[in-house]
Amino acid sequence: MGDIHAGKMGNETHMLVKNHPEMAAAAQHFRKFFKWVNTDPGAAYTELEAYTAVLFPQHPLTEEWNKLFFRIVQNKGGMVAEVIRFMELKKRLLIDTNPETFATQIRHVEHLLKELKRTEKIYESEGRLETQKIPFLIEYGK
């Protein structure tokens, strides 16, 4: 299996900001996260927390999502179970926050989850489930 592409998050964010101006602050935090993730991890994590606080206010799953997202981005991938959990959390956050606004993103996550679960079965049958890292690329448009 090739890399799992999380999608062109910049394009998603642009459309959400265009249609929902209150999300502009979240988009700025997300851009800052990517600006700092490789040079100042502490500042990047702070921006990630600010992003989720704006986008998913006081949702009980944001802390777990932040930790997984941060680790997966820094490592440019993760074990199958980690990436599946990350995507399941993302789907839950989007659905709980606003399923109409995030309908496109929810469908994208569902598609990725299907691919990941197929990959999980293949890796399990090959005995690589616990050892094979999945590259996970985040494309963030400027």
Side-chain angles (χ1 to χ4, degrees):
M1 170 166 186
D3 298 346
I4 299 295
H5 291 271
K8 298 194 180 291
M9 296 181 101
N11 295 338
E12 282 182 11
T13 303
H14 173 72
M15 291 307 297
L16 287 173
V17 169
K18 181 179 175 186
N19 296 324
H20 301 276
E22 69 279 4
M23 293 187 188
Q28 284 191 340
H29 290 298
F30 204 59
R31 274 192 295 278
K32 288 179 183 177
F33 166 78
F34 279 100
K35 177 182 177 183
W36 294 110
V37 71
N38 294 317
T39 57
D40 188 344
Y45 197 82
T46 298
E47 292 297 336
L48 184 60
E49 289 176 320
Y51 166 77
T52 54
V54 171
L55 207 54
F56 312 117
Q58 300 191 357
H59 196 289
L61 297 176
T62 57
E63 184 178 345
E64 183 182 359
W65 186 88
N66 286 342
K67 288 177 182 176
L68 273 172
F69 182 74
F70 189 76
R71 185 170 58 242
I72 289 168
V73 168
Q74 279 199 311
N75 295 333
K76 295 177 178 50
M79 303 307 289
V80 177
E82 285 181 307
V83 178
I84 287 174
R85 179 64 181 155
F86 161 74
M87 297 306 289
E88 289 171 342
L89 288 168
K90 182 175 180 181
K91 180 180 173 185
R92 181 82 270 147
L93 289 166
L94 294 169
I95 289 170
D96 290 353
T97 301
N98 192 329
E100 292 81 27
T101 297
F102 295 119
T104 300
Q105 291 79 7
I106 292 166
R107 282 191 303 275
H108 181 71
V109 169
E110 288 170 341
H111 173 75
L112 289 173
L113 277 167
K114 285 179 188 174
E115 286 184 35
L116 286 164
K117 289 181 181 183
R118 277 194 292 264
T119 300
E120 181 179 45
K121 287 179 183 174
I122 292 168
Y123 284 5
E124 187 172 33
S125 72
E126 295 173 349
R128 312 188 283 155
L129 187 59
E130 301 299 322
T131 59
Q132 181 67 47
K133 179 180 164 184
I134 294 181
F136 191 86
L137 307 173
I138 305 288
E139 298 177 24
Y140 186 75
K142 302 289 180 200

